[in-house]
Amino acid sequence: MDELELYKGNRVTLMACSSCNAKCNDCYIGYTGNRTPDDLYSIAYLLMNDGKHVRIDGAEVLTNLDYLKTLKLVGQNWIMTNGLRIYNEPNIIDLLKDNNIDTIYMSYHYGIQEDINSIPLIVVEDVIELLNKNNFNIYLNCTLTNKNYKNIITIAEKTYQLGAKGIGFNKIFRQGRAKNIENLDLTKEQLKEFFEYLNYLRNHYDKSEFYITRGGSLGHDTFKGKDNFRCNAGNNHVMITPDSKVYGCNAICKPGYEIGKFINNKIYLYKKFYHDESICLAELLGYLREENIENLTYDNYPKLVKKYSEKK
């Protein structure tokens, strides 16, 4: 894939850093490097002026508090964090507020936290309590495995009682350090059971009070038999890592998965890159253990989908 064309999509996420203050088994980060705060700010400014909708993410954005000025620049009112720095330095809450951050996303892997994450659940719950006292909106992300998927009704009730505004469910992305995790995936029957529970929860809670989502890695709803899921990775959303490489999703930002290049502050994609949005791109590549995106072409894509469906 050599020939390039200008990215026609609108959404861009700048991955600020690979630095993190934790070492979790479920981490899917596959890139390395950290942008300087000034570099991040400059690139975000130029992309915004080019009409792009810019957001900032990273392994752990709060490892460098000077990144916050760029979040303020792009009008981003949320961060995704493991919560550890807030736990150790609660005074940074004032800095978050000064930079217009009012929403926090955190991982809350109820039932399996100690198996896949290095931060104890009690620490996460203490941070949630602190954030609630300071009037932040809190949304939690829970990874599902064959060990805890039956408990999502309990998980939802627990997070609701903690004061969260919502919860999102996902599977482990088989990338980065998480590639070494085995024997925790859900079977077809277990996925169908999960979607049955999920539909119950969505009918049980008023979404204006408690919003329940699920990630693309869980596939299509096999309980109802239909859904509106689409994955726009690479089509209307790209990631740019600190080494200025372009990827389709933050879960597959690693060498070999580049779908384009960032040249002179312009985003270019490989012309042959193809993704029909029917399957989560990170799930497709990770599950099939594809090590690069060479097969993501118009002609080869159906073969990958068929192979994926047969394995599932």
Side-chain angles (χ1 to χ4, degrees), residues 54-70:
V54 180
R55 288 295 175 257
I56 310 301
D57 203 354
E60 176 56 56
V61 172
L62 292 184
T63 55
N64 191 330
L65 298 179
D66 288 333
Y67 287 145
L68 293 175
K69 65 181 181 182
T70 304

Side-chain angles (χ1 to χ4, degrees), residues 66-85:
D66 288 333
Y67 287 145
L68 293 175
K69 65 181 181 182
T70 304
L71 275 73
K72 189 173 185 177
L73 169 73
V74 301
Q76 180 174 327
N77 69 329
W78 58 268
I79 58 167
M80 190 172 293
T81 177
N82 58 35
L84 197 55
R85 186 154 190 183

